[in-house]
Amino acid sequence: MKSRPGLLLAALLLTSCVTPTPPAVEKPTAPVLPLALDESFQFRKFKRFINQPELFVPTRDESINFERARVNFGALSADEARQRQGTYFDFFWRAKRPADVTVRFEYRQAKLGNAVRAQETAVSQAHGSMKSSFAVIGDNYIWDGPVTAWRCLIIENNRIVAFTQSFLWR
C-alpha cells in the first residue's frame, strides 16, 4: 500500500484547527488583576446557547436543532434534563506564541445583583487557535437566574493579556 503524505498532512491540519481546553472550574472569588494587553493573544469570536426548553420555538434551522439535541443528549430523567438547562458559552481565541495561560469567565446573574462569579480553566503551552467552553447550568442557573453580563479574560503571569466582554459589563 502506498503512503499518501498529502492526505496525512491534510488530516493532521484539520484536527489541529481548534484545540479544546480542559473543563472549567468554579472559583469562589475573582481577584482583580492588572491590565497588560498583548497582541500575541486575541479573542476571535464567541458563541452563546441558551438551553431552556419551555422557550424553544420550532425552527427549520438545522444548526439550532442540532445544538438543542447535542446539549440535551443522554438526559434520561426530568431531573437530568433540568440540570442541563442554562447558558452555554464557547470562546474562540488565538495565541501567536506558546504560553501557559488561564482563561477566566466572569459573569453576573439576574438574582445576584452586582455579585461576580467566575469559572477558570488553565491551558498549558497554548498556541494557535483555541476554544474554551463555560456553562452556567443546573441549580446555579435555576436558583440564581440567567446570565445578565459577562466577560472573558486570558491571563498570563497574573496579568490580563486579552479580554472580550458583553455590552452590559461594567
Side-chain angles (χ1 to χ4, degrees):
M1 182 169 147
K2 287 185 175 182
S3 173
R4 297 187 181 202
L7 288 176
L8 181 62
L9 180 60
L12 180 63
L13 288 174
L14 287 175
T15 58
S16 66
C17 287
V18 175
T19 306
T21 57
V25 176
E26 189 83 23
K27 293 292 186 179
T29 60
V32 178
L33 298 172
L35 186 64
L37 298 178
D38 185 345
E39 291 182 4
S40 298
F41 302 94
Q42 62 182 193
F43 281 95
R44 307 295 288 167
K45 64 180 180 177
F46 77 93
K47 181 179 75 168
R48 181 183 67 181
F49 176 70
I50 301 171
N51 184 29
Q52 199 166 0
E54 60 270 9
L55 299 180
F56 285 169
V57 176
T59 180
R60 291 183 183 211
D61 187 339
E62 290 301 317
S63 64
I64 294 173
N65 290 331
F66 175 80
E67 193 70 15
R68 289 176 181 169
R70 182 189 66 82
V71 167
N72 293 305
F73 180 77
L76 300 176
S77 68
D79 186 53
E80 287 178 350
R82 189 175 65 85
Q83 290 300 317
R84 294 174 188 208
Q85 288 184 14
T87 309
Y88 295 80
F89 293 88
D90 291 324
F91 293 94
F92 300 87
W93 52 281
R94 181 179 305 172
K96 293 181 181 176
R97 60 177 170 79
D100 294 333
V101 298
T102 300
V103 181
R104 180 188 296 163
F105 175 63
E106 297 178 350
Y107 59 97
R108 293 187 177 97
Q109 290 179 273
K111 295 180 184 175
L112 296 180
N114 284 330
V116 176
R117 287 192 168 171
Q119 297 178 20
E120 286 186 355
T121 183
V123 184
S124 62
Q125 293 301 303
H127 188 243
S129 296
M130 307 292 288
K131 174 185 171 187
S132 296
S133 298
F134 302 94
V136 180
I137 57 174
D139 291 336
N140 188 5
Y141 176 80
I142 293 166
W143 293 106
D144 298 330
V147 173
T148 57
W150 56 264
R151 77 174 178 169
C152 191
L153 314 168
I154 299 175
I155 302 167
E156 181 186 34
N157 298 326
N158 287 324
R159 296 175 309 141
I160 299 170
V161 294
F163 73 94
T164 187
Q165 63 190 27
S166 68
F167 179 75
L168 295 176
W169 186 266
R170 54 182 155 88

